[in-house]
Amino acid sequence: MDKLVIEGGKPLSGSIVIQGAKNAALPILAACLLAEGTSTIEHVPRLLDIDVMLNILRELGCRAEHVGDTVILNTETAHTSHVPESLMGQMRSSIFLMGPLLARFGETQVYQPGGCAIGERKIDLHLEGLQALGAEIEEIGNRIICRADKLYGAEIHLAFPSVGATENIMMAAVLAEGRTTISNAAREPEIQDLQRFLNEMGAKIMGAGTDTITIEGVQSLTPCTYRVIPDRIVAGTIMVAAAATRGQVTLLNTNPAHLSSLIHVLRRAGVQIAVDGDIIKVGCPGRPRAVERVVTAPYPAFPTDLQSQVMVLLALADGVSILKETIFEGRLKHVDELSRMGADIRVDLNSAFIRGVPRLYGATVEATDLRAGAALVIAGLAAQGKTIVEQIHHIDRGYDCIETMLGRLGARISRYSPVPKN
Ligand code: UD1
């Protein structure tokens, strides 16, 4: 297994262009199935999760090439709607294929994507939404078979504004007969990006970004060329890393509006942030201040995907901060690893009580999930001495060569791969 070795204590400095958003690209790639022909999706990051999605699409019969940051995807040759269990298990986002496959083939067979390191991650809202559109769903053990000769528009109220369920229902409803309304829909920027993409293909969707999305079903969609939005979580990770190392970094190709809750928290911590168009400048000349209370919640509130990274900054801040996780029940596992680096953090249920320490110390730590791994990298960059981060395949799921990206900002970070045996 690869690991990252970090010599900490060097402030990050310089400028960096932010990659395309993984969480926008994944549903968009799945949605390409809705229009037979070749779509070109630009600004798609080179990540493990994207590789898995493309492999699943190839397995379904599509032809897919990822050249630079452009994916050329021909879905005309797709011939099956059955996703193999082995591929389904590699990534939760494979569940996004249900809506498009059902809409295109009138049936699909997938498998439970299963639990994962950050919590249970149920799919009941996805299934209920598809049922409301007229699908019959049969669950046999781990297998989910979903059939509908025809899908019909429906009024769907989500018990929780699930990002994935909102996207899956949108993708199934675009080719349904009549109007679908999703109330209490998730409002994340990635949902707005999916709406823009589907409308570019000829769909009639309104309201993404608000809590009510309306979809007027259309007969067919046509392939198109589309550019994915910048990754707000990668941008946020770099912003926190710049602040935690007391550096000075300029981020290019961002959408600052997507980062307003993070910018608010960082400013409260005393971090200097200047926004100019799609450029964000972050500087932190002194020790950050504690922030009394940060609570994760659906967009536009503070994102769960930046909780672990911000915890590192608060672990180094002057004073006591409270960070509460409300989206995923198992998302505070990085606390044990940060404690091994000298952080003073106590967990009670889903809240972390963080007493800032003047410095962290290098240690060997383990990435327990994608964003926790990013947090440990930030901790290593800010810490005194050497940090080794293990299990970094989690990090590769969401960051396009994190060591190259941070190396360009002056970080002393390298990847070690095991020597292959002859
Ligand atoms: C997406 C993001 C992920 C982010 C999360 C929350 C992608 C590929 N991933 O994940 O990075 O952390 O949003 O912002 O876009 N839930 C149910 N039943 C369901 C669906 C969800 O109970 O059918 C619960 C989940 O267990 C969780 C909460 O809803 O507690 C949020 O999940 P959801 O918004 O669906 O997240 P994902 O789409 O999986």
Side-chain angles (χ1 to χ4, degrees):
M1 287 285 184
D2 290 6
K3 46 184 137 178
L4 291 170
V5 179
I6 304 164
E7 283 292 342
K10 191 158 184 285
L12 294 188
S13 86
S15 60
I16 185 159
V17 180
I18 300 304
Q19 69 187 50
K22 163 179 92 76
N23 288 354
L26 287 168
I28 285 174
L29 291 172
C32 286
L33 281 165
L34 293 163
E36 287 185 41
T38 302
S39 284
T40 303
I41 312 299
E42 299 167 349
H43 208 212
V44 179
R46 301 199 71 97
L47 306 170
L48 271 184
D49 275 9
I50 298 286
D51 290 345
V52 174
M53 178 58 85
L54 294 179
N55 282 339
I56 296 177
L57 289 164
R58 289 186 189 109
E59 193 70 27
L60 298 174
C62 302
R63 287 198 293 267
E65 271 182 88
H66 198 167
V67 185
D69 70 354
T70 299
V71 169
I72 300 163
L73 182 59
N74 183 343
T75 61
E76 212 169 344
T77 44
H79 53 72
T80 172
S81 59
H82 293 204
V83 181
E85 187 170 13
S86 56
L87 287 171
M88 194 79 201
Q90 287 180 23
M91 176 180 67
R92 178 176 163 90
S93 302
S94 48
I95 202 71
F96 290 140
L97 290 155
M98 274 187 96
L101 286 173
L102 182 65
R104 171 147 171 194
F105 291 99
E107 65 114 44
T108 177
Q109 180 177 299
V110 300
Y111 292 83
Q112 284 281 354
C116 81
I118 61 174
E120 193 185 0
R121 304 192 83 168
K122 292 187 287 185
I123 58 164
D124 53 329
L125 301 174
H126 297 244
L127 301 184
E128 283 168 24
L130 298 179
Q131 269 167 333
L133 296 172
E136 274 177 29
I137 293 174
E138 203 183 340
E139 293 188 62
I140 306 170
N142 221 8
R143 194 151 52 108
I144 305 168
I145 303 156
C146 200
R147 287 191 199 92
D149 290 339
K150 193 159 176 52
L151 293 169
Y152 295 94
E155 290 195 2
I156 299 169
H157 179 83
L158 293 177
F160 180 87
S162 154
V163 175
T166 303
E167 293 170 335
N168 232 338
I169 296 166
M170 282 167 76
M171 292 188 281
V174 275
L175 295 178
E177 186 179 311
R179 174 186 294 179
T180 298
T181 309
I182 311 173
S183 55
N184 198 29
R187 292 186 278 166
E188 269 69 2
E190 293 74 21
I191 289 167
Q192 297 178 48
D193 211 32
L194 181 62
Q195 170 178 289
R196 274 190 294 270
F197 171 67
L198 290 169
N199 284 348
E200 195 69 33
M201 292 206 296
K204 289 188 184 154
I205 311 177
M206 276 169 48
T210 74
D211 63 3
T212 305
I213 300 176
T214 309
I215 304 140
E216 294 287 349
V218 294
Q219 292 284 327
S220 63
L221 298 175
T222 32
C224 69
T225 296
Y226 189 78
R227 186 173 172 80
V228 171
I229 53 169
D231 195 310
R232 63 193 167 102
I233 306 302
V234 171
T237 303
I238 300 287
M239 288 166 73
V240 176
T245 59
R246 306 208 192 156
Q248 187 87 41
V249 170
T250 301
L251 292 88
L252 310 170
N253 181 43
T254 68
N255 187 331
H258 295 168
L259 287 155
S260 54
S261 59
L262 174 70
I263 291 174
H264 180 65
V265 167
L266 292 181
R267 283 190 173 140
R268 277 164 66 204
V271 178
Q272 294 165 355
I273 296 180
V275 173
D276 180 9
D278 70 350
I279 298 172
I280 303 178
K281 290 187 178 169
V282 185
C284 191
R287 186 174 178 195
R289 293 193 295 269
V291 178
E292 204 184 321
R293 198 173 152 78
V294 181
V295 182
T296 67
Y299 189 85
F302 192 84
T304 175
D305 283 354
L306 286 171
Q307 175 259 107
S308 47
Q309 299 88 317
V310 159
M311 188 182 289
V312 177
L313 186 74
L314 299 179
L316 288 162
D318 188 8
V320 177
S321 310
I322 300 174
L323 193 42
K324 184 172 178 186
E325 170 62 52
T326 73
I327 305 290
F328 294 113
E329 71 273 19
R331 212 169 202 186
L332 290 172
K333 292 193 183 134
H334 43 281
V335 168
D336 286 346
E337 303 301 298
L338 291 175
S339 300
R340 279 140 56 70
M341 298 178 75
D344 182 354
I345 306 173
R346 182 174 61 81
V347 173
D348 187 12
L349 297 172
N350 56 351
S351 293
F353 297 82
I354 306 158
R355 188 176 295 280
V357 293
R359 64 184 55 83
L360 296 172
Y361 297 93
T364 297
V365 287
E366 196 173 297
T368 48
D369 69 68
L370 164 56
R371 306 303 171 186
L376 296 174
V377 170
I378 297 173
L381 296 172
Q384 188 174 312
K386 184 198 278 191
T387 294
I388 299 175
V389 184
E390 298 182 330
Q391 302 293 331
I392 61 168
H393 57 280
H394 290 297
I395 302 176
D396 292 336
R397 286 187 35 227
Y399 296 85
D400 186 353
C401 288
I402 198 166
E403 69 279 15
T404 312
M405 193 163 74
L406 293 167
R408 289 200 188 110
L409 297 175
R412 292 171 295 201
I413 175 169
S414 18
R415 176 183 296 253
Y416 282 88
S417 302
V419 182
K421 292 192 182 113
N422 298 331

